[in-house]
Amino acid sequence: MLENFYTLNQIESQGEGKYLCRITLNAAHPIFAGHFPDNPVTPGVCMLQIIKNITEEITQKKLFLSKTSQVKFMTLINPNTAGELTLQLELAEHPDTIVVKNTTSFGDTLALKLTNTYKLC
Protein backbone atom coordinates (compact mmCIF):
# COMPACT_ATOMS: atom_id res chain seq x y z
CA MET A 1 0.00 0.00 0.00
CA LEU A 2 2.85 2.40 0.77
CA GLU A 3 5.28 1.14 -1.82
CA ASN A 4 8.55 3.08 -1.59
CA PHE A 5 7.06 5.45 1.02
CA TYR A 6 9.50 4.38 3.71
CA THR A 7 12.38 2.02 4.39
CA LEU A 8 12.40 -0.17 7.47
CA ASN A 9 15.99 0.04 8.69
CA GLN A 10 15.80 -1.79 12.00
CA ILE A 11 13.59 -3.88 14.24
CA GLU A 12 15.25 -4.60 17.56
CA SER A 13 13.62 -6.62 20.31
CA GLN A 14 13.84 -4.89 23.68
CA GLY A 15 12.38 -7.91 25.50
CA GLU A 16 8.87 -8.78 26.71
CA GLY A 17 6.94 -7.56 23.66
CA LYS A 18 8.88 -4.31 23.31
CA TYR A 19 10.53 -3.29 20.03
CA LEU A 20 12.62 -0.40 18.80
CA CYS A 21 12.18 0.29 15.09
CA ARG A 22 13.84 2.80 12.81
CA ILE A 23 12.49 3.93 9.45
CA THR A 24 13.47 6.45 6.80
CA LEU A 25 10.73 8.32 4.96
CA ASN A 26 11.11 8.82 1.20
CA ALA A 27 10.73 12.60 0.81
CA ALA A 28 10.46 12.14 -2.99
CA HIS A 29 7.34 9.94 -2.72
CA PRO A 30 4.33 11.28 -4.70
CA ILE A 31 2.17 11.42 -1.55
CA PHE A 32 4.19 14.41 -0.38
CA ALA A 33 3.58 16.31 -3.64
CA GLY A 34 -0.09 16.49 -2.72
CA HIS A 35 0.30 16.66 1.06
CA PHE A 36 1.47 19.45 0.76
CA PRO A 37 3.42 21.11 -2.09
CA ASP A 38 6.45 23.03 -0.77
CA ASN A 39 5.64 21.97 2.81
CA PRO A 40 5.40 18.16 2.94
CA VAL A 41 3.66 16.58 5.92
CA THR A 42 3.41 12.86 6.59
CA PRO A 43 -0.30 11.96 6.59
CA GLY A 44 -1.53 10.45 9.85
CA VAL A 45 -3.18 7.58 7.98
CA CYS A 46 0.24 6.69 6.55
CA MET A 47 1.71 6.54 10.04
CA LEU A 48 -1.13 4.20 11.07
CA GLN A 49 -0.34 1.96 8.09
CA ILE A 50 3.40 1.95 8.87
CA ILE A 51 2.70 0.85 12.45
CA LYS A 52 0.39 -1.91 11.18
CA ASN A 53 3.00 -3.06 8.63
CA ILE A 54 5.75 -3.22 11.25
CA THR A 55 3.47 -5.07 13.68
CA GLU A 56 2.70 -7.62 10.95
CA GLU A 57 6.43 -8.00 10.30
CA ILE A 58 7.12 -8.60 14.00
CA THR A 59 4.23 -11.02 14.59
CA GLN A 60 4.24 -12.66 11.16
CA LYS A 61 0.43 -12.40 11.26
CA LYS A 62 -2.03 -10.66 8.93
CA LEU A 63 -3.86 -7.96 10.90
CA PHE A 64 -6.92 -5.73 10.60
CA LEU A 65 -6.99 -2.41 12.47
CA SER A 66 -10.14 -2.51 14.57
CA LYS A 67 -9.58 0.37 17.00
CA THR A 68 -7.31 3.34 17.53
CA SER A 69 -7.32 5.17 20.84
CA GLN A 70 -5.32 7.73 22.75
CA VAL A 71 -4.06 9.22 19.47
CA LYS A 72 -1.92 12.29 19.97
CA PHE A 73 -0.10 13.90 17.05
CA MET A 74 2.38 16.09 18.90
CA THR A 75 4.04 17.72 15.89
CA LEU A 76 4.08 17.55 12.10
CA ILE A 77 6.44 15.05 10.50
CA ASN A 78 8.14 16.74 7.56
CA PRO A 79 10.20 14.17 5.62
CA ASN A 80 12.77 16.81 4.67
CA THR A 81 13.58 17.72 8.26
CA ALA A 82 12.41 14.60 10.12
CA GLY A 83 12.95 11.79 7.65
CA GLU A 84 14.50 9.40 10.17
CA LEU A 85 11.89 8.16 12.64
CA THR A 86 12.18 5.97 15.71
CA LEU A 87 9.13 3.92 16.65
CA GLN A 88 8.83 2.22 19.99
CA LEU A 89 6.22 -0.52 19.99
CA GLU A 90 4.86 -2.46 22.94
CA LEU A 91 2.80 -5.47 21.86
CA ALA A 92 0.31 -7.39 23.97
CA GLU A 93 -0.94 -10.51 22.21
CA HIS A 94 -4.34 -11.94 23.08
CA PRO A 95 -6.17 -14.92 21.52
CA ASP A 96 -7.98 -12.87 18.83
CA THR A 97 -6.29 -9.46 19.04
CA ILE A 98 -2.98 -7.67 19.36
CA VAL A 99 -2.81 -4.34 21.21
CA VAL A 100 0.07 -2.07 20.25
CA LYS A 101 1.21 1.00 22.16
CA ASN A 102 3.37 3.23 19.99
CA THR A 103 5.49 6.32 20.36
CA THR A 104 7.11 7.81 17.28
CA SER A 105 9.88 10.38 17.47
CA PHE A 106 12.63 12.04 15.50
CA GLY A 107 15.68 13.18 17.40
CA ASP A 108 14.45 14.40 20.78
CA THR A 109 11.02 15.36 19.41
CA LEU A 110 8.01 13.21 20.24
CA ALA A 111 5.75 13.22 17.17
CA LEU A 112 3.03 10.62 17.82
CA LYS A 113 1.57 8.52 20.61
CA LEU A 114 -1.24 6.03 20.15
CA THR A 115 -2.70 2.66 21.01
CA ASN A 116 -3.98 0.39 18.24
CA THR A 117 -5.99 -2.79 18.54
CA TYR A 118 -5.71 -5.27 15.68
CA LYS A 119 -7.86 -8.30 14.95
CA LEU A 120 -6.21 -11.34 13.46
CA CYS A 121 -7.25 -11.95 9.84
Side-chain angles (χ1 to χ4, degrees), residues 41-94:
V41 175
T42 305
V45 69
C46 292
M47 290 305 303
L48 292 175
Q49 186 66 41
I50 289 168
I51 294 164
K52 177 182 175 277
N53 291 354
I54 293 172
T55 303
E56 288 179 330
E57 178 79 19
I58 290 168
T59 63
Q60 294 296 296
K61 295 176 182 171
K62 187 76 176 148
L63 304 172
F64 174 81
L65 177 62
S66 64
K67 181 179 176 183
T68 298
S69 61
Q70 302 175 347
V71 180
K72 294 181 184 175
F73 288 94
M74 314 298 264
T75 190
L76 299 175
I77 301 172
N78 180 324
N80 294 322
T81 58
E84 303 286 328
L85 302 177
T86 300
L87 292 84
Q88 294 181 321
L89 304 177
E90 185 175 337
L91 283 62
E93 295 195 43
H94 305 281

Side-chain angles (χ1 to χ4, degrees), residues 91-111:
L91 283 62
E93 295 195 43
H94 305 281
D96 297 326
T97 61
I98 297 174
V99 177
V100 178
K101 292 182 181 181
N102 164 261
T103 59
T104 299
S105 59
F106 54 90
D108 293 331
T109 303
L110 180 60

Side-chain angles (χ1 to χ4, degrees), residues 2-48:
L2 294 178
E3 188 173 336
N4 298 318
F5 185 73
Y6 70 98
T7 301
L8 178 59
N9 301 318
Q10 176 186 13
I11 298 177
E12 179 182 311
S13 175
Q14 305 280 291
E16 298 185 38
K18 296 180 181 181
Y19 297 87
L20 176 72
C21 308
R22 297 186 195 281
I23 66 168
T24 303
L25 297 174
N26 176 5
H29 195 277
I31 284 176
F32 294 116
H35 201 268
F36 297 95
D38 301 323
N39 189 23
V41 175
T42 305
V45 69
C46 292
M47 290 305 303
L48 292 175

